[in-house]
Short mmCIF file of all heavy atoms in Angstrom, two decimals:
data_model
loop_
_atom_site.label_atom_id
_atom_site.label_comp_id
_atom_site.label_asym_id
_atom_site.label_seq_id
_atom_site.Cartn_x
_atom_site.Cartn_y
_atom_site.Cartn_z
N ARG A 164 -5.54 -1.95 -5.30
CA ARG A 164 -4.11 -1.69 -5.64
C ARG A 164 -3.43 -3.05 -5.67
O ARG A 164 -4.04 -4.06 -5.33
CB ARG A 164 -3.46 -0.78 -4.62
CG ARG A 164 -3.62 -1.35 -3.21
CD ARG A 164 -2.76 -0.65 -2.18
NE ARG A 164 -3.11 -1.04 -0.82
CZ ARG A 164 -2.82 -2.22 -0.28
NH1 ARG A 164 -2.25 -3.17 -0.95
NH2 ARG A 164 -3.13 -2.46 1.00
N THR A 165 -2.13 -3.07 -6.00
CA THR A 165 -1.39 -4.31 -5.83
C THR A 165 -1.30 -4.61 -4.34
O THR A 165 -1.32 -3.68 -3.52
CB THR A 165 -0.01 -4.26 -6.46
OG1 THR A 165 0.70 -3.14 -5.95
CG2 THR A 165 -0.09 -4.21 -7.97
N TRP A 166 -1.19 -5.82 -3.97
CA TRP A 166 -1.19 -6.27 -2.60
C TRP A 166 0.13 -6.97 -2.33
O TRP A 166 0.92 -7.23 -3.24
CB TRP A 166 -2.37 -7.18 -2.30
CG TRP A 166 -2.53 -8.25 -3.31
CD1 TRP A 166 -2.10 -9.53 -3.24
CD2 TRP A 166 -3.14 -8.11 -4.62
NE1 TRP A 166 -2.39 -10.21 -4.38
CE2 TRP A 166 -3.02 -9.37 -5.26
CE3 TRP A 166 -3.75 -7.08 -5.31
CZ2 TRP A 166 -3.50 -9.61 -6.54
CZ3 TRP A 166 -4.22 -7.31 -6.60
CH2 TRP A 166 -4.09 -8.57 -7.20
N GLY A 167 0.40 -7.28 -1.07
CA GLY A 167 1.70 -7.82 -0.68
C GLY A 167 2.14 -9.05 -1.45
O GLY A 167 3.32 -9.19 -1.77
N PHE A 168 1.25 -9.95 -1.77
CA PHE A 168 1.63 -11.18 -2.42
C PHE A 168 1.18 -11.24 -3.88
O PHE A 168 0.99 -12.32 -4.44
CB PHE A 168 1.15 -12.42 -1.64
CG PHE A 168 -0.33 -12.52 -1.51
CD1 PHE A 168 -1.10 -13.18 -2.46
CD2 PHE A 168 -1.00 -11.96 -0.45
CE1 PHE A 168 -2.46 -13.28 -2.36
CE2 PHE A 168 -2.36 -12.04 -0.30
CZ PHE A 168 -3.09 -12.72 -1.29
N HIS A 169 1.02 -10.06 -4.53
CA HIS A 169 0.55 -10.10 -5.93
C HIS A 169 1.49 -10.85 -6.84
O HIS A 169 1.09 -11.37 -7.89
CB HIS A 169 0.34 -8.67 -6.46
CG HIS A 169 1.58 -7.96 -6.79
ND1 HIS A 169 2.34 -7.29 -5.84
CD2 HIS A 169 2.26 -7.81 -7.96
CE1 HIS A 169 3.41 -6.77 -6.42
NE2 HIS A 169 3.37 -7.07 -7.69
N SER A 170 2.77 -10.96 -6.45
CA SER A 170 3.72 -11.67 -7.28
C SER A 170 3.45 -13.21 -7.33
O SER A 170 4.00 -13.89 -8.20
CB SER A 170 5.16 -11.41 -6.82
OG SER A 170 5.31 -11.83 -5.47
N LEU A 171 2.60 -13.70 -6.47
CA LEU A 171 2.17 -15.09 -6.52
C LEU A 171 1.48 -15.39 -7.86
O LEU A 171 1.54 -16.50 -8.38
CB LEU A 171 1.21 -15.44 -5.38
CG LEU A 171 0.51 -16.77 -5.39
CD1 LEU A 171 1.51 -17.91 -5.33
CD2 LEU A 171 -0.45 -16.88 -4.22
N GLY A 172 0.85 -14.37 -8.42
CA GLY A 172 0.13 -14.55 -9.68
C GLY A 172 1.00 -15.11 -10.80
O GLY A 172 0.56 -16.01 -11.55
N PHE A 173 2.20 -14.62 -10.92
CA PHE A 173 3.07 -15.02 -12.05
C PHE A 173 3.33 -16.53 -12.08
O PHE A 173 3.07 -17.19 -13.07
CB PHE A 173 4.36 -14.21 -12.08
CG PHE A 173 5.18 -14.45 -13.32
CD1 PHE A 173 4.75 -13.94 -14.54
CD2 PHE A 173 6.31 -15.22 -13.27
CE1 PHE A 173 5.48 -14.19 -15.69
CE2 PHE A 173 7.04 -15.47 -14.41
CZ PHE A 173 6.64 -14.95 -15.64
N PRO A 174 3.87 -17.16 -10.98
CA PRO A 174 4.08 -18.61 -11.05
C PRO A 174 2.78 -19.39 -11.12
O PRO A 174 2.78 -20.54 -11.60
CB PRO A 174 4.87 -18.93 -9.79
CG PRO A 174 4.61 -17.81 -8.87
CD PRO A 174 4.37 -16.60 -9.72
N ALA A 175 1.66 -18.79 -10.67
CA ALA A 175 0.36 -19.48 -10.74
C ALA A 175 -0.32 -19.28 -12.09
O ALA A 175 -1.34 -19.89 -12.36
CB ALA A 175 -0.55 -19.01 -9.63
N GLY A 176 0.24 -18.42 -12.96
CA GLY A 176 -0.28 -18.24 -14.29
C GLY A 176 -1.07 -16.98 -14.55
O GLY A 176 -1.75 -16.88 -15.60
N VAL A 177 -1.01 -15.99 -13.63
CA VAL A 177 -1.73 -14.73 -13.82
C VAL A 177 -0.74 -13.57 -13.57
O VAL A 177 -0.36 -13.34 -12.41
CB VAL A 177 -2.93 -14.60 -12.85
CG1 VAL A 177 -3.71 -13.34 -13.16
CG2 VAL A 177 -3.82 -15.81 -12.93
N ASP A 178 -0.33 -12.88 -14.59
CA ASP A 178 0.63 -11.79 -14.45
C ASP A 178 -0.13 -10.48 -14.28
O ASP A 178 -0.39 -9.75 -15.23
CB ASP A 178 1.52 -11.74 -15.70
CG ASP A 178 2.69 -10.79 -15.55
OD1 ASP A 178 2.69 -9.96 -14.61
OD2 ASP A 178 3.62 -10.87 -16.38
N PHE A 179 -0.48 -10.16 -13.03
CA PHE A 179 -1.31 -8.99 -12.74
C PHE A 179 -0.74 -7.66 -13.25
O PHE A 179 -1.47 -6.90 -13.87
CB PHE A 179 -1.64 -8.93 -11.25
CG PHE A 179 -2.58 -9.96 -10.79
CD1 PHE A 179 -2.16 -10.99 -9.97
CD2 PHE A 179 -3.92 -9.93 -11.16
CE1 PHE A 179 -3.07 -11.99 -9.55
CE2 PHE A 179 -4.83 -10.93 -10.78
CZ PHE A 179 -4.40 -11.95 -9.96
N PRO A 180 0.52 -7.34 -12.98
CA PRO A 180 1.04 -6.05 -13.48
C PRO A 180 0.94 -5.94 -15.02
O PRO A 180 0.56 -4.90 -15.56
CB PRO A 180 2.49 -6.04 -13.00
CG PRO A 180 2.50 -6.90 -11.79
CD PRO A 180 1.51 -8.00 -12.09
N TYR A 181 1.27 -7.04 -15.70
CA TYR A 181 1.20 -6.99 -17.16
C TYR A 181 -0.25 -6.83 -17.66
O TYR A 181 -0.51 -6.12 -18.64
CB TYR A 181 1.84 -8.21 -17.81
CG TYR A 181 1.77 -8.13 -19.32
CD1 TYR A 181 2.63 -7.24 -19.99
CD2 TYR A 181 0.89 -8.87 -20.05
CE1 TYR A 181 2.54 -7.11 -21.36
CE2 TYR A 181 0.81 -8.75 -21.42
CZ TYR A 181 1.63 -7.87 -22.08
OH TYR A 181 1.54 -7.73 -23.44
N LEU A 182 -1.18 -7.47 -16.99
CA LEU A 182 -2.59 -7.34 -17.40
C LEU A 182 -3.04 -5.90 -17.39
O LEU A 182 -3.68 -5.41 -18.31
CB LEU A 182 -3.50 -8.16 -16.47
CG LEU A 182 -3.43 -9.68 -16.64
CD1 LEU A 182 -4.15 -10.37 -15.50
CD2 LEU A 182 -4.04 -10.08 -17.98
N LEU A 183 -2.71 -5.17 -16.30
CA LEU A 183 -3.09 -3.79 -16.22
C LEU A 183 -2.36 -2.93 -17.24
O LEU A 183 -2.97 -2.09 -17.92
CB LEU A 183 -2.83 -3.24 -14.79
CG LEU A 183 -3.36 -1.85 -14.52
CD1 LEU A 183 -4.87 -1.76 -14.74
CD2 LEU A 183 -3.03 -1.44 -13.08
N TYR A 184 -1.09 -3.19 -17.42
CA TYR A 184 -0.30 -2.46 -18.41
C TYR A 184 -0.85 -2.68 -19.82
O TYR A 184 -1.10 -1.72 -20.57
CB TYR A 184 1.15 -2.92 -18.35
CG TYR A 184 2.00 -2.45 -19.49
CD1 TYR A 184 2.46 -1.13 -19.56
CD2 TYR A 184 2.35 -3.31 -20.55
CE1 TYR A 184 3.23 -0.67 -20.62
CE2 TYR A 184 3.12 -2.88 -21.60
CZ TYR A 184 3.56 -1.55 -21.63
OH TYR A 184 4.32 -1.11 -22.68
N ALA A 185 -1.10 -3.92 -20.17
CA ALA A 185 -1.62 -4.24 -21.49
C ALA A 185 -2.99 -3.58 -21.72
O ALA A 185 -3.26 -3.08 -22.82
CB ALA A 185 -1.73 -5.76 -21.68
N ASP A 186 -3.81 -3.58 -20.70
CA ASP A 186 -5.11 -2.94 -20.82
C ASP A 186 -4.98 -1.43 -21.08
O ASP A 186 -5.69 -0.87 -21.91
CB ASP A 186 -5.93 -3.17 -19.54
CG ASP A 186 -7.32 -2.59 -19.64
OD1 ASP A 186 -8.14 -3.13 -20.43
OD2 ASP A 186 -7.58 -1.59 -18.94
N GLN A 187 -4.03 -0.81 -20.44
CA GLN A 187 -3.85 0.63 -20.57
C GLN A 187 -3.34 1.02 -21.95
O GLN A 187 -3.64 2.11 -22.44
CB GLN A 187 -2.89 1.14 -19.48
CG GLN A 187 -3.48 1.09 -18.10
CD GLN A 187 -4.72 1.95 -17.98
OE1 GLN A 187 -4.66 3.16 -18.11
NE2 GLN A 187 -5.86 1.30 -17.72
N ILE A 188 -2.55 0.15 -22.58
CA ILE A 188 -2.06 0.49 -23.92
C ILE A 188 -2.85 -0.16 -25.04
O ILE A 188 -2.48 -0.05 -26.21
CB ILE A 188 -0.53 0.16 -24.05
CG1 ILE A 188 -0.27 -1.32 -23.93
CG2 ILE A 188 0.30 0.96 -23.07
CD1 ILE A 188 1.15 -1.73 -24.31
N GLY A 189 -3.95 -0.84 -24.66
CA GLY A 189 -4.84 -1.41 -25.66
C GLY A 189 -4.42 -2.72 -26.28
O GLY A 189 -4.91 -3.08 -27.35
N VAL A 190 -3.56 -3.47 -25.60
CA VAL A 190 -3.14 -4.77 -26.09
C VAL A 190 -4.08 -5.85 -25.54
O VAL A 190 -4.33 -5.88 -24.31
CB VAL A 190 -1.68 -5.07 -25.65
CG1 VAL A 190 -1.29 -6.51 -26.01
CG2 VAL A 190 -0.74 -4.09 -26.28
N SER A 191 -4.59 -6.68 -26.40
CA SER A 191 -5.50 -7.75 -25.97
C SER A 191 -4.69 -8.86 -25.32
O SER A 191 -3.68 -9.30 -25.85
CB SER A 191 -6.27 -8.29 -27.18
OG SER A 191 -7.11 -9.33 -26.78
N VAL A 192 -5.17 -9.34 -24.17
CA VAL A 192 -4.50 -10.43 -23.44
C VAL A 192 -5.55 -11.47 -23.11
O VAL A 192 -6.66 -11.15 -22.71
CB VAL A 192 -3.85 -9.90 -22.13
CG1 VAL A 192 -3.21 -11.02 -21.36
CG2 VAL A 192 -2.86 -8.80 -22.43
N GLU A 193 -5.17 -12.74 -23.27
CA GLU A 193 -6.08 -13.84 -22.97
C GLU A 193 -6.41 -13.85 -21.47
O GLU A 193 -5.58 -13.50 -20.63
CB GLU A 193 -5.46 -15.20 -23.31
CG GLU A 193 -5.52 -15.55 -24.75
CD GLU A 193 -5.08 -16.98 -25.01
OE1 GLU A 193 -5.43 -17.88 -24.19
OE2 GLU A 193 -4.36 -17.19 -25.98
N ARG A 194 -7.62 -14.27 -21.18
CA ARG A 194 -8.03 -14.45 -19.78
C ARG A 194 -7.19 -15.55 -19.13
O ARG A 194 -6.76 -16.47 -19.83
CB ARG A 194 -9.51 -14.84 -19.68
CG ARG A 194 -10.43 -13.76 -20.16
CD ARG A 194 -11.88 -14.27 -20.12
NE ARG A 194 -12.77 -13.25 -20.60
CZ ARG A 194 -13.35 -12.36 -19.86
NH1 ARG A 194 -13.15 -12.34 -18.56
NH2 ARG A 194 -14.17 -11.43 -20.38
N SER A 195 -7.00 -15.44 -17.83
CA SER A 195 -6.27 -16.49 -17.14
C SER A 195 -6.84 -16.72 -15.76
O SER A 195 -7.54 -15.87 -15.19
CB SER A 195 -4.76 -16.10 -17.03
OG SER A 195 -4.61 -14.83 -16.46
N ARG A 196 -6.56 -17.90 -15.24
CA ARG A 196 -7.07 -18.29 -13.93
C ARG A 196 -5.90 -18.95 -13.21
O ARG A 196 -5.23 -19.84 -13.75
CB ARG A 196 -8.22 -19.26 -14.09
CG ARG A 196 -8.85 -19.72 -12.81
CD ARG A 196 -9.99 -20.66 -13.13
NE ARG A 196 -10.67 -21.05 -11.95
CZ ARG A 196 -11.59 -20.34 -11.32
NH1 ARG A 196 -11.95 -19.15 -11.80
NH2 ARG A 196 -12.15 -20.75 -10.23
N GLY A 197 -5.64 -18.51 -11.98
CA GLY A 197 -4.50 -19.04 -11.25
C GLY A 197 -4.63 -20.49 -10.90
O GLY A 197 -5.70 -20.96 -10.50
N ARG A 198 -3.54 -21.23 -11.07
CA ARG A 198 -3.50 -22.65 -10.66
C ARG A 198 -3.41 -22.71 -9.13
O ARG A 198 -2.78 -21.85 -8.51
CB ARG A 198 -2.28 -23.32 -11.27
CG ARG A 198 -2.35 -23.48 -12.78
CD ARG A 198 -1.16 -24.28 -13.33
NE ARG A 198 0.15 -23.84 -12.84
CZ ARG A 198 0.84 -22.85 -13.32
NH1 ARG A 198 0.36 -22.07 -14.28
NH2 ARG A 198 2.03 -22.54 -12.81
N SER A 199 -3.97 -23.74 -8.57
CA SER A 199 -3.91 -23.89 -7.12
C SER A 199 -2.64 -24.61 -6.66
O SER A 199 -1.93 -25.19 -7.50
CB SER A 199 -5.16 -24.63 -6.62
OG SER A 199 -5.23 -25.90 -7.20
N GLU A 200 -2.38 -24.53 -5.37
CA GLU A 200 -1.27 -25.17 -4.70
C GLU A 200 0.11 -24.60 -5.10
O GLU A 200 1.11 -25.31 -5.12
CB GLU A 200 -1.28 -26.69 -4.88
CG GLU A 200 -2.51 -27.32 -4.27
CD GLU A 200 -2.52 -28.83 -4.33
OE1 GLU A 200 -1.50 -29.42 -4.77
OE2 GLU A 200 -3.52 -29.42 -3.93
N ILE A 201 0.14 -23.29 -5.38
CA ILE A 201 1.40 -22.58 -5.63
C ILE A 201 1.58 -21.64 -4.45
O ILE A 201 0.68 -20.92 -4.06
CB ILE A 201 1.37 -21.75 -6.93
CG1 ILE A 201 0.91 -22.61 -8.13
CG2 ILE A 201 2.69 -21.07 -7.19
CD1 ILE A 201 1.86 -23.69 -8.53
N GLY A 202 2.77 -21.66 -3.84
CA GLY A 202 3.00 -20.86 -2.66
C GLY A 202 3.80 -19.61 -2.88
O GLY A 202 4.64 -19.51 -3.78
N TRP A 203 3.55 -18.63 -2.01
CA TRP A 203 4.32 -17.37 -1.94
C TRP A 203 4.86 -17.31 -0.51
O TRP A 203 4.14 -17.56 0.44
CB TRP A 203 3.39 -16.20 -2.20
CG TRP A 203 3.99 -14.84 -1.97
CD1 TRP A 203 4.61 -14.04 -2.91
CD2 TRP A 203 4.00 -14.09 -0.74
NE1 TRP A 203 5.01 -12.87 -2.32
CE2 TRP A 203 4.65 -12.88 -1.00
CE3 TRP A 203 3.55 -14.35 0.54
CZ2 TRP A 203 4.83 -11.90 -0.02
CZ3 TRP A 203 3.73 -13.38 1.53
CH2 TRP A 203 4.38 -12.18 1.24
N LEU A 204 6.13 -16.96 -0.36
CA LEU A 204 6.77 -16.99 0.95
C LEU A 204 7.56 -15.69 1.15
O LEU A 204 8.23 -15.22 0.25
CB LEU A 204 7.74 -18.18 0.98
CG LEU A 204 8.61 -18.35 2.21
CD1 LEU A 204 7.78 -18.81 3.42
CD2 LEU A 204 9.69 -19.37 1.93
N ARG A 205 7.47 -15.17 2.36
CA ARG A 205 8.37 -14.07 2.77
C ARG A 205 9.23 -14.66 3.88
O ARG A 205 8.86 -14.64 5.07
CB ARG A 205 7.61 -12.85 3.27
CG ARG A 205 8.58 -11.74 3.66
CD ARG A 205 8.04 -10.39 3.43
NE ARG A 205 9.13 -9.43 3.61
CZ ARG A 205 9.09 -8.37 4.40
NH1 ARG A 205 7.99 -8.12 5.08
NH2 ARG A 205 10.12 -7.60 4.49
N LEU A 206 10.35 -15.22 3.49
CA LEU A 206 11.17 -16.03 4.40
C LEU A 206 11.58 -15.30 5.67
O LEU A 206 11.51 -15.87 6.77
CB LEU A 206 12.41 -16.53 3.64
CG LEU A 206 13.26 -17.54 4.41
CD1 LEU A 206 12.46 -18.82 4.68
CD2 LEU A 206 14.50 -17.88 3.61
#
C-alpha cells in the first residue's frame, strides 16, 4: 500500500500515486528512478 513517506517520491522524481492511476486507466508512463539526497520530514 502507500506508506507514510510515499510523498518523498514526487520531489525525488517518482510520482507513485500517478503511476498506479495511469496504469489502471491504461496510460503509458516512462520508467523513473528516485534521485538520492532528497529528504522527507514530519516536523
Side-chain angles (χ1 to χ4, degrees):
R164 54 169 171 72
T165 54
W166 49 97
F168 63 89
H169 76 276
S170 59
L171 171 62
F173 188 73
V177 185
D178 189 346
F179 288 110
Y181 181 74
L182 287 168
L183 187 58
Y184 169 76
D186 183 69
Q187 292 299 296
I188 63 170
V190 173
S191 179
V192 178
E193 279 189 41
R194 294 176 182 270
S195 54
R196 182 179 184 81
R198 293 184 312 278
S199 60
E200 298 185 5
I201 308 293
W203 172 94
L204 176 72
R205 181 149 191 232
L206 188 62

